[in-house]
Amino acid sequence: MTAHLTDPTDSVGPAAVGSAGELCGRADALCRAAAPHLPPGAPVAAVLAAVRLRLAEPGLRIAVGGRMNAGKSTLVNALLGRRLAATGATECTTLVAWFRGGVQNRLEVRRTDGRRYHVPGRPGGGIPRDVTLLGSTREEIEEIVVETAGGQDPHRPWTLVDTPGMDTLSGLDGIALRALGAADALLYVMPHPGAGDAEALEALRRQADDRMTALNVVGVLSRIDELGDGTGDPWPRARRVAATYTARLTGLLSGVVPVAGLLAQTALGEEFTEADAALLGRLATAPRADLDQALYSPQEFLRWPDGPLDAPGRARVLDLLGCHGISAAVDAVPTLAAPGARPLLAALRAASGVDALLDEIRERFVAAADRLRAAAALGLVDEAARTALGDEALAPAARRALDDLRAGVAALRRHPLLRQTELAPALADLAAGRLRLSAPDTEALLRLATGTTTAACLGLPEPAPGTTAAPSAHAARTAAEAAARWRQLEPGPSRVLQRHARTARELCEELYFRAAAAP
């Protein structure tokens, strides 16, 4: 893991961790205690300062990645609720781009030589398609930060980073890898899943030092309307494909969620108007057979000479929704309780499937934010301290501070939620076929590695809202039974199984001792 930290939020200071969580707070305290004893300007001091800045941020950093022309930027726009990332029929993302709330629409260009400067954002904010408008060549730019007026949206407590398609770079270059290394989680976008995505995810995991596994990766099946022959209701097939690739990519990601990306971008965005709703209302008056024939392809729709919309109107709704989205909108029009843009957008949002993805982000990423951020921070701190201790000229006080820092890191890593990160290699070996488990043991390993609560880790039901948690004695008994099962697997036929079974057993024992000690 590189010690370089991409920092898209310079305005955040290191003084307070705020609502970052218990684990991040304890990691920050370790850095704060060591900092006064380190030589000013030393690399380890710089790493600790950067880590504290990162821990002080209010939310997660989520990277959006995938192969070339996968629909990444369309998904970014949907999650931002604004069309800020450049999209098109070809790969538009050639730069690493961070998106954050600010006081005005502008772009910060960060060059590879360390220089930074601002350029005006395009009307409405976002990235221009023409990179020359940024004032530097593609090769001279490290990354760009897109600021939008309005500040951080409390309903979207994350910072997004859009990364170039992997095919455009024959993998990922150092700049893109640093961005992924600075992210806490990844949305991997797949328009048409296949063997290439398994290879790409495996390569990404290796290049990111095993940090990207089912612990913090969710797959997104984009462009569901293009599955099969592109006709009829795409959702039954999309759900089958998502389930198939969730199973095939076990260990590399926690699940695959189907989303109609363009429909989601418009449904959650700000561009759709009452005039657009009126255009779709007029389309709904056309004979359905004629409309279906026109929607066979974008070209057919744009050439539709005797339809109810003129050429500009057809181009407008096609840009907003695509053929599948137009069909979904026309289906929704007669079901609305009242005409207008607001109820139609609500129907389009439901038809896009984006709410299932937002739920997955909240359950897999936001709920685990404290663990994900603390684990990344401790890895950086421990590596920097270990390297600094190799300097024979280090002053005794600094050496004691770094020894104490590493001891504190080791103690904090024994927390069960951080012990989960030690199962990342197990997930990687499971995905690569090096670790072979029965179906029940595979499910148990995935629960143990990705659960955000003790109940989730042990496969126990979560308490209903407003009720108390399950009795600690029940959790302790379940944890003890799980530890016993992993202990049975420890003398297994392969060293890979032995190593990972031991880690799983130790985590279950940690859960047992904590549950047994609970009142």
Side-chain angles (χ1 to χ4, degrees):
M1 178 66 66
T2 177
H4 173 86
L5 281 183
T6 300
D7 178 22
T9 51
D10 287 343
S11 61
V12 179
V17 174
S19 60
E22 174 200 355
L23 300 175
C24 287
R26 290 171 63 181
D28 179 77
L30 291 173
C31 297
R32 187 172 65 249
H37 307 286
L38 303 178
V44 64
V47 171
L48 265 58
V51 166
R52 296 199 65 208
L53 279 170
R54 172 67 188 95
L55 292 173
E57 292 178 24
L60 276 171
R61 293 176 175 181
I62 302 177
V64 180
R67 302 175 70 194
M68 182 178 173
N69 197 30
K72 301 181 300 298
S73 297
T74 299
L75 181 66
V76 166
N77 289 336
L79 296 177
L80 291 171
R82 301 176 67 177
R83 194 179 291 205
L84 300 176
T87 59
T90 59
E91 178 71 16
C92 292
T93 304
T94 60
L95 296 168
V96 170
W98 295 85
F99 296 87
R100 72 178 187 188
V103 297
Q104 60 181 305
N105 293 328
R106 65 176 184 176
L107 305 174
E108 182 183 52
V109 178
R110 300 182 173 182
R111 288 169 50 96
T112 55
D113 60 9
R115 186 162 63 92
R116 300 182 179 187
Y117 58 89
H118 288 93
V119 298
R122 63 178 173 83
I127 304 172
R129 287 175 181 259
D130 185 355
V131 177
T132 63
L133 297 177
L134 299 176
S136 298
T137 66
R138 159 69 180 85
E139 293 72 23
E140 293 172 329
I141 297 176
E142 173 91 5
E143 60 191 8
I144 54 178
V145 178
V146 182
E147 298 180 14
T148 55
Q152 183 75 34
D153 185 342
H155 299 293
R156 299 178 175 90
W158 49 70
T159 295
L160 290 180
V161 54
D162 194 8
T163 60
M166 293 183 70
D167 292 356
T168 65
L169 300 174
S170 299
L172 291 173
D173 64 6
I175 293 174
L177 280 174
R178 281 197 291 275
L180 286 169
D184 303 303
L186 171 68
L187 294 173
Y188 183 82
V189 185
M190 302 172 283
H192 309 289
D197 288 298
E199 294 171 1
L201 277 165
E202 178 64 24
L204 191 154
R205 179 194 62 77
R206 291 195 304 267
Q207 291 175 326
D209 297 329
D210 288 342
R211 285 194 61 242
M212 296 297 175
T213 65
L215 281 165
N216 58 348
V217 179
V218 168
V220 180
L221 180 62
S222 62
R223 301 179 188 162
I224 63 167
D225 52 301
E226 297 178 4
L227 296 174
D229 60 6
T231 61
D233 181 3
W235 278 102
R237 182 176 179 84
R239 294 188 181 101
R240 290 195 300 271
V241 171
T244 296
Y245 277 89
T246 294
R248 290 185 183 178
L249 299 173
T250 295
L252 290 173
L253 45 74
S254 61
V256 178
V257 182
V259 176
L262 184 57
L263 198 53
Q265 176 180 261
T266 295
L268 273 65
E270 301 175 334
E271 293 185 310
F272 194 85
T273 66
E274 292 294 342
D276 298 320
L279 290 174
L280 291 164
R282 289 167 57 190
L283 270 181
T285 65
R288 188 59 199 232
D290 293 348
L291 178 61
D292 288 343
Q293 184 175 354
L295 290 174
Y296 177 76
S297 71
Q299 295 76 21
E300 289 286 337
F301 183 72
L302 291 174
R303 288 196 299 260
W304 190 18
D306 52 354
L309 302 185
D310 59 15
R314 294 195 301 273
R316 169 67 178 175
V317 295
L318 187 65
D319 177 65
L320 286 172
L321 298 170
C323 290
H324 168 67
I326 292 172
S327 179
V330 169
D331 287 341
V333 166
T335 69
L336 302 178
R342 186 182 296 273
L344 184 52
L345 280 174
L348 295 179
R349 176 170 181 160
S352 73
V354 72
D355 284 320
L357 176 60
L358 291 170
D359 289 343
E360 191 77 3
I361 290 172
R362 295 185 186 102
E363 293 171 9
R364 296 289 182 183
F365 295 165
V366 177
D370 191 30
R371 178 196 70 192
L372 294 173
R373 298 173 64 194
L378 292 178
L380 290 166
V381 167
D382 192 48
E383 175 63 20
R386 184 188 63 80
T387 301
L389 284 168
D391 183 0
E392 296 181 357
L394 193 67
R399 187 172 296 278
R400 286 193 298 272
L402 291 176
D403 284 336
D404 290 343
L405 176 62
R406 295 199 73 194
V409 167
L412 184 52
R413 279 176 163 167
R414 288 194 289 272
H415 190 288
L417 289 180
L418 287 176
R419 288 298 303 270
Q420 285 180 295
T421 61
E422 297 179 21
L423 288 175
L427 297 177
D429 285 339
L430 186 67
R434 294 184 293 269
L435 174 61
R436 299 184 180 277
L437 296 171
S438 67
D441 290 335
T442 296
E443 293 177 4
L445 179 67
L446 291 172
R447 285 196 304 267
L448 195 59
T450 62
T452 56
T453 65
T454 296
C457 288
L458 297 174
L460 298 174
E462 296 286 353
T467 64
T468 58
S472 56
H474 181 39
R477 183 169 60 254
T478 304
E481 292 169 354
R485 172 57 184 162
W486 290 113
R487 188 177 296 109
Q488 291 176 350
L489 295 176
E490 280 189 65
S494 73
R495 291 184 179 180
V496 172
L497 175 59
Q498 294 168 13
R499 180 172 69 254
H500 297 319
R502 181 173 62 253
T503 302
R505 185 256 303 165
E506 290 173 349
L507 176 52
C508 290
E509 289 173 347
E510 289 280 355
L511 293 172
Y512 165 79
F513 288 123
R514 286 181 174 260

